[in-house]
Amino acid sequence: MASNVSLLEPLDVIVVGAGIAGLTAAIAIRRAGHNVKASPLSTILIILYEVLKESLCSQIYEQSDLSNESGAAIHLPPNSSRILLDWGMDPEGSLLVKAKSTYIAAGDTLNRVYGASYNAIESTYGAPWFFAHRADFHTELKRMATSPGLGKPAVLSSKSRVVDYDLDGASVTFADSTKEQADLIVAADGVHSLATQAVLGYENTALRTDESAFRFLIPRSVLAADPETASLLDGDDGRFVVFTGKGGKRLNDKFSNTLHNFVGIFHDKEKDTKEDWNAPADIETLLNEFHDFHPSILAICKKATAVKKWPLLFRPPISPWHRSTTVLVGDAAHPMLPRKPLLPSLPFPFLQDHIQRFLQITDQGQGGAQAIEDSAALGIVLSGPSLTKSALRMEPALLSQRLHLFEQIRHDRASAMQIFSNAGQDQAAADIAEAVRPFVEGKIPTATADDADGPMCVRIANPAEFIEYNFGYDVVKDSCEALRRLEENGAKVVV
């Protein structure tokens, strides 16, 4: 992977946000040899000062309390795990679980209608498909960003809420009215990033869907202690399960280390347009929505101690992703929905052949992976001895050229993933293909037929095409090649 860690005049870079996008951006940028101008030391920074006092360099601003990182399980498919392993990720230390299998079952009877093994994923795509609990994964990313290693370590500044971006002045303003300036601002602060509106020039308003998601975590030990739920745990190591019900309801169970992560997606009659990942919900509401599921699943739901409800809103692809000295990455550029397949529960027998070709077209599991691809590409386009402070003074457009190259590499692929992930079950294959066509060269990996007139309304797809499209892509190869062409040609890209 391209890197240059001996730059005499590295750029100063501010990364706003310390989630997956922010931390991986910091890792990639430090590996490219650049610094970020540090803010005045706060209490949390003093803890790191003795280790980093010789080179306070990479500053990541995060408004939330880093000690309280929580959330659902996350997919790390091969197109992202290849990158992280190359950067030194420790799968064992971060409690990652290799994806081994999946099955889909009727929520009311528990009858399995589809199953697949993931044993060949690593040998085919060069890296495993991991499941991770978000908090464990976040801890590992913090280690990779802040520990000594290739490039200067990053420093995380907690509870620094950014309230304004000055794109032309390359600075951010915090809630306490202090400002920090740098050569480059990387906005990785999520779907509500103020930078998105600043870059676009208008508000990228979320559009509501008719679905919401419950989410909750239950320790495996709790489920194993109850015979009613223990029977569902056989072979759960690295397994992803979907229980489907009437009206498109589905409860997804992903096992990550010692925790089972549940996401229950349902048609929501409430017209909630406020995006809130952590809004509390009571168990009775959860049980009412899934009342027609099997008693064992209801027993699982009753064990939930902290249920959250998340209205599923979506945003279409945007352009541009950068302006002046500010660039968007991750959810700030391309938020994606955690949709799951909408398979009704009955009747199944006559659909066995079709089910074997069914792909979870509405759950690409690529939200975090696309943020990691962003970071890898950004680190590569910012690498090389020609991108220094003195070079920017002589040629101010140089940074914009590199950011334009980054967007050329990333925009179409991430936009296509965004459309695939946001696609609703009621959308026909042709509609999805038409929406994604501007972003995909060649064959579109989408549904090949619809049984829309049948009683099941099942979308038929070719899973092999989607798996190859998702997992087989190499952003490092593409980015290195794009940067090589730019440097060899001495090109001035249009900005």
Side-chain angles (χ1 to χ4, degrees):
M1 186 178 299
S3 65
N4 187 77
V5 295
S6 59
L7 294 177
L8 296 178
E9 291 185 296
L11 303 185
D12 293 332
V13 182
I14 288 176
V15 178
V16 181
I20 293 172
L23 289 174
T24 55
I27 295 166
I29 291 168
R30 68 173 282 192
R31 290 174 61 87
H34 298 296
N35 304 330
V36 175
K37 184 178 292 184
S39 69
L41 290 177
S42 62
T43 303
I44 193 170
L45 297 183
I46 293 173
I47 299 174
L48 299 172
Y49 181 65
E50 290 303 317
V51 177
L52 306 175
K53 59 185 177 183
E54 293 185 359
S55 59
L56 280 176
C57 47
S58 295
Q59 184 74 39
I60 310 164
Y61 298 96
E62 174 62 26
Q63 69 184 53
S64 62
D65 186 347
L66 296 174
S67 65
N68 193 35
E69 178 70 14
S70 62
I74 183 171
H75 291 271
L76 295 176
N79 54 302
S80 60
S81 64
R82 280 195 305 269
I83 298 165
L84 297 169
L85 291 170
D86 183 66
W87 288 351
M89 180 180 69
D90 178 8
E92 183 175 350
S94 52
L95 306 178
L96 302 186
V97 175
K98 285 186 180 181
K100 298 181 178 67
S101 64
T102 187
Y103 74 79
I104 300 173
D108 54 356
T109 66
L110 304 186
N111 291 335
R112 299 188 186 190
V113 299
Y114 171 78
S117 169
Y118 297 141
N119 290 338
I121 291 292
E122 184 172 0
S123 61
T124 303
Y125 297 105
W129 180 1
F130 290 114
F131 297 152
H133 178 49
R134 189 177 294 269
D136 296 330
F137 181 51
H138 191 264
T139 298
E140 174 64 3
L141 291 182
K142 285 191 286 184
R143 181 195 68 79
M144 294 166 65
T146 62
S147 297
L150 188 62
K152 296 179 181 179
V155 175
L156 276 67
S157 177
S158 185
K159 296 183 178 177
S160 299
R161 184 167 62 93
V162 172
V163 296
D164 188 41
Y165 286 84
D166 181 352
L167 273 59
D168 295 326
S171 68
V172 294
T173 302
F174 300 102
D176 62 2
S177 299
T178 60
K179 293 186 177 182
E180 290 289 342
Q181 191 169 26
D183 298 303
L184 170 65
I185 310 295
V186 179
D189 45 344
V191 69
H192 297 295
S193 175
L194 297 176
T196 304
Q197 182 172 348
V199 168
L200 292 176
Y202 60 87
E203 183 178 359
N204 187 28
T205 305
L207 306 175
R208 74 174 306 276
T209 70
D210 59 356
E211 292 184 317
S212 291
F214 294 112
R215 63 184 182 90
F216 52 95
L217 301 171
I218 301 178
R220 189 185 192 281
S221 59
V222 172
L223 298 176
D226 182 354
E228 183 72 43
T229 56
S231 60
L232 297 176
L233 302 182
D234 292 341
D236 63 351
D237 181 38
R239 188 177 67 192
F240 178 53
V241 180
V242 181
F243 298 103
T244 65
K246 297 177 182 178
K249 285 184 294 189
R250 59 269 196 208
L251 182 69
N252 310 294
D253 173 19
K254 188 185 306 172
F255 179 60
S256 175
N257 198 263
T258 60
L259 290 170
H260 277 263
N261 175 81
F262 294 93
V263 178
I265 300 181
F266 65 101
H267 287 277
D268 195 350
K269 296 179 181 178
E270 296 183 11
K271 306 299 182 182
D272 194 347
T273 58
K274 180 182 179 182
E275 286 173 304
D276 189 348
W277 175 261
N278 286 306
D282 59 76
I283 292 180
E284 288 304 316
T285 303
L286 171 65
L287 292 173
N288 286 339
E289 288 294 342
F290 290 89
H291 70 276
D292 52 352
F293 274 45
H294 192 275
S296 294
I297 295 180
L298 296 181
I300 289 175
C301 294
K302 291 176 182 177
K303 297 181 188 301
T305 57
V307 181
K308 307 295 184 181
K309 179 186 172 185
W310 177 24
L312 299 183
L313 310 181
F314 76 94
R315 290 170 170 80
I318 61 171
S319 183
W321 286 5
H322 79 282
R323 185 159 71 85
S324 189
T325 58
T326 298
V327 63
L328 310 173
V329 297
D331 281 351
H334 45 74
M336 300 182 191
L337 288 177
R339 289 184 177 271
K340 306 295 178 184
L342 290 172
L343 277 175
S345 59
L346 292 172
F348 279 115
F350 72 96
L351 282 173
Q352 291 305 313
D353 291 339
H354 285 176
I355 289 292
Q356 296 304 317
R357 295 188 288 129
F358 180 82
L359 175 70
Q360 297 169 29
I361 188 172
T362 53
D363 176 29
Q364 300 303 308
Q366 285 282 325
Q370 292 307 298
I372 294 165
E373 286 189 6
D374 287 350
S375 296
L378 184 62
I380 290 169
V381 303
L382 292 178
S383 67
S386 62
L387 189 62
T388 62
K389 282 183 175 292
S390 59
L392 288 187
R393 286 192 294 268
M394 295 177 62
E395 189 175 358
L398 180 60
L399 180 60
S400 292
Q401 293 168 12
R402 296 294 184 94
L403 296 181
H404 185 85
L405 180 64
F406 162 75
E407 188 167 341
Q408 284 183 324
I409 295 166
R410 293 295 304 140
H411 181 270
D412 284 359
R413 173 166 166 85
S415 295
M417 287 294 188
Q418 199 175 0
I419 292 172
F420 289 139
S421 295
N422 293 351
Q425 180 68 10
D426 58 347
Q427 288 183 256
D431 294 337
I432 299 171
E434 182 180 359
V436 83
R437 168 51 65 195
F439 308 114
V440 177
E441 292 184 6
K443 183 174 175 57
I444 296 174
T446 189
T448 56
D450 282 307
D451 186 24
D453 297 328
M456 302 300 293
C457 299
V458 172
R459 180 182 295 129
I460 311 303
N462 185 339
E465 289 184 6
F466 265 103
I467 289 174
E468 178 62 29
Y469 181 80
N470 291 0
F471 295 176
Y473 176 71
D474 189 340
V475 69
V476 173
K477 178 181 178 181
D478 265 13
S479 301
C480 289
E481 177 61 21
L483 181 60
R484 183 192 63 79
R485 290 195 303 267
L486 180 70
E487 292 181 333
E488 285 185 355
N489 296 334
K492 300 280 195 303
V493 300
V494 180
V495 296

